[in-house]
Amino acid sequence: MDRQHIGSAQPARLRVEVRTLDGASELLTPVGELDHHTAELLRAPLDDALDAGRSRLVVDCSGLEFCDSTGLNVLLGARLRADAAGGGVHLVAMRPPVARVFHITGAEAVFTLHETLATALPG
């Protein structure tokens, strides 16, 4: 499936690369702006990974330039599903504008945060 053209999302604003790491882990790399118009571009591969039994989701945020409340809710929804399946959502290398949203809302407390991808990848 072409992740750049789901629904009415504008493809130039967000791109999501997806890579399965092992049987239970998925690496997702959103690049661009995660907001009301593009959130489905991340929600769909998160749901796909969880539906396939991959409950450890690593989201490399190093290319994420912006995240609004809709994007935050997508990640929170994935976290709830991943936790229920015995996994979790690991957020990596958040840029300051994105990290600020998580800090202000208190959402940083419910995710596992990593400074580098190397520390987030399964060992």
Side-chain angles (χ1 to χ4, degrees), residues 19-28 45-46 49-59 78-79 81-92 112-114 116-123:
R19 185 173 54 133
T20 301
L21 300 174
D22 59 34
S25 300
E26 191 95 329
L27 172 62
L28 300 101
L46 287 167
L50 291 161
D51 291 345
R54 291 184 291 280
S55 60
R56 186 177 195 283
L57 306 174
V58 178
V59 182
R79 185 197 68 84
R81 285 190 64 200
D83 284 356
V89 175
H90 300 256
L91 303 178
V92 181
T112 303
L113 305 178
H114 302 269
T116 67
L117 191 55
T119 62
L121 295 177

Side-chain angles (χ1 to χ4, degrees), residues 20-97:
T20 301
L21 300 174
D22 59 34
S25 300
E26 191 95 329
L27 172 62
L28 300 101
T29 307
V31 177
E33 299 177 4
L34 178 58
D35 60 23
H36 172 74
H37 300 287
T38 62
E40 188 60 27
L41 295 171
L42 182 58
R43 183 188 330 269
L46 287 167
D47 286 345
D48 290 348
L50 291 161
D51 291 345
R54 291 184 291 280
S55 60
R56 186 177 195 283
L57 306 174
V58 178
V59 182
D60 179 356
C61 299
S62 62
L64 196 57
E65 299 167 7
F66 176 80
C67 180
D68 72 359
S69 61
T70 305
L72 177 60
N73 283 327
V74 165
L75 291 166
L76 287 167
R79 185 197 68 84
L80 288 173
R81 285 190 64 200
D83 284 356
V89 175
H90 300 256
L91 303 178
V92 181
M94 283 193 285
R95 292 179 174 190

